[in-house]
């Protein structure tokens, strides 16, 4: 089956096709999910290499799960985000104390040097502020405000109630605002 015919297929359908031996479905699903999985892992870990490892491990687990996948029980992305979160939690517990300064910021060739430096400073400030949050608050804030997921999706991933998600994200947002409030000028934000 040509890869173009898979572009409108659901994640579930692609996973079932892969489980039935269709390698092109796996390629399409990998291309679709890898940026999401990597981005989520990077936001939780703050380390590019670790995020790549987590993304790869999460997708391997998905492929191993494919033959036993039960349609309708969970969305593929929900299952995958939960796996990523668990893998990140495991890595964070093992590597407490890794300096954030040791992580190089990714460069964007389309921006000027000044814009790149400004964006890097903002990303570093955000990551530093995120790293001050308790683990569950950090995960809820990242899923809601960076990944753009809904509260019910987050509740499913974190295996908590929607009210708990709302509480975690509200407390996390307040803590982030407080942590970043004194750095507006430094980060190039103004009230104009």
């Amino acid at each position: 089956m040509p890869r173009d015919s898979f572009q409108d297929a659901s994640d579930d359908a692609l996973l079932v096709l892969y489980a039935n031996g269709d390698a092109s479905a796996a390629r399409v699903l990998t291309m679709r999910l890898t940026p999401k999985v990597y981005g989520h892992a990077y936001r939780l870990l703050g380390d590019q290499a670790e995020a790549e490892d987590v993304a790869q491990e999460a997708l391997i687990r998905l492929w191993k799960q494919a033959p036993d996948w039960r349609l309708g029980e969970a969305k593929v992305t929900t299952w995958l985000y939960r796996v990523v979160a668990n893998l990140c939690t495991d890595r964070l517990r093992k590597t407490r104390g890794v300096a954030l300064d040791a992580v190089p910021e990714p460069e964007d060739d389309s921006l000027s040097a000044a814009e790149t430096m400004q964006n890097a400073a903002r990303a570093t400030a955000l990551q530093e502020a995120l790293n001050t949050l308790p683990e569950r608050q950090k995960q809820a804030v990242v899923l809601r405000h960076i990944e753009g997921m809904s509260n019910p999706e987050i509740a499913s991933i974190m295996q908590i109630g929607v009210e708990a998600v709302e509480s975690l994200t509200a407390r996390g947002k307040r803590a982030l605002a407080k942590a970043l409030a004194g750095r507006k000028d430094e980060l190039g934000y103004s009230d104009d």
Side-chain angles (χ1 to χ4, degrees), residues 86-172:
N86 290 340
L87 289 170
C88 289
T89 298
D90 291 346
R91 285 179 185 254
L92 287 170
R93 286 182 181 148
K94 289 179 188 173
T95 61
R96 292 273 186 221
V98 172
L100 185 60
D101 294 337
V103 179
E105 287 294 322
E107 294 182 29
D108 184 354
D109 295 333
S110 65
L111 298 176
S112 70
E115 290 170 324
T116 300
M117 289 173 55
Q118 186 69 65
N119 287 345
R122 289 173 178 172
T124 299
L126 177 60
Q127 192 63 51
E128 287 171 353
L130 282 169
N131 288 341
T132 65
L133 297 178
E135 213 171 293
R136 303 284 283 173
Q137 275 184 20
K138 178 180 178 179
Q139 185 179 3
V141 168
V142 167
L143 288 170
R144 180 72 182 110
H145 296 289
I146 295 174
E147 301 295 336
M149 300 183 91
S150 69
N151 288 347
E153 288 175 309
I154 298 167
S156 177
I157 291 168
M158 295 180 70
Q159 297 178 324
I160 58 177
V162 172
E163 295 81 14
V165 170
E166 291 168 356
S167 175
L168 286 169
T169 54
R171 287 191 317 236

Side-chain angles (χ1 to χ4, degrees), residues 6-11 14 28-36:
F6 291 135
Q7 295 308 317
D8 295 329
S10 71
D11 295 344
L14 291 171
V28 171
L29 194 55
T30 299
M31 296 301 287
R32 183 183 294 173
L33 296 177
T34 299
K36 293 177 184 179

